Amino acid sequence: MHFSDDILSFLGLSEVTGAAEPKVILAGNGAYLENVKSIKFFSYEKIQLIVKKGMIEITGSDLTIKKCCGGDVAICGKISSVSIN
């Protein structure tokens, strides 16, 4: 079970999202994402991630990718927006 599954279960939302749907958790100065297919673009101000049905764009400052494996991505930095297209 993934970390996000534990959080969704705790919040009573475990039945709301599908297993392959992208999940985004924002906390402090970072984000944790699941079900990411690939990284499309990376800079210190913007990160674009490809997911099953589109793209997730994260903007901010001092953005870094701390982990990227098995569909999981951990991003650190000051995040100002997250959009799912």
Side-chain angles (χ1 to χ4, degrees), residues 5-79:
D5 293 332
D6 292 338
I7 292 172
L8 291 172
S9 178
F10 176 77
L11 295 173
L13 300 173
S14 58
E15 302 299 320
V16 175
T17 62
E21 295 297 319
K23 298 174 186 171
V24 180
I25 299 171
L26 298 172
N29 285 331
Y32 181 78
L33 300 95
E34 290 181 1
N35 299 317
V36 173
K37 289 187 170 236
S38 64
I39 298 170
K40 180 179 180 181
F41 178 81
F42 168 77
S43 73
Y44 293 115
E45 291 80 33
K46 181 180 3 178
I47 298 174
Q48 293 176 328
L49 305 168
I50 302 297
V51 294
K52 185 175 181 179
K53 295 181 181 178
M55 184 176 64
I56 296 175
E57 182 173 283
I58 298 170
T59 60
S61 59
D62 299 322
L63 299 177
T64 58
I65 297 173
K66 293 293 184 182
K67 174 187 175 184
C68 181
C69 68
D72 296 346
V73 177
I75 297 172
C76 292
K78 185 175 180 182
I79 296 172

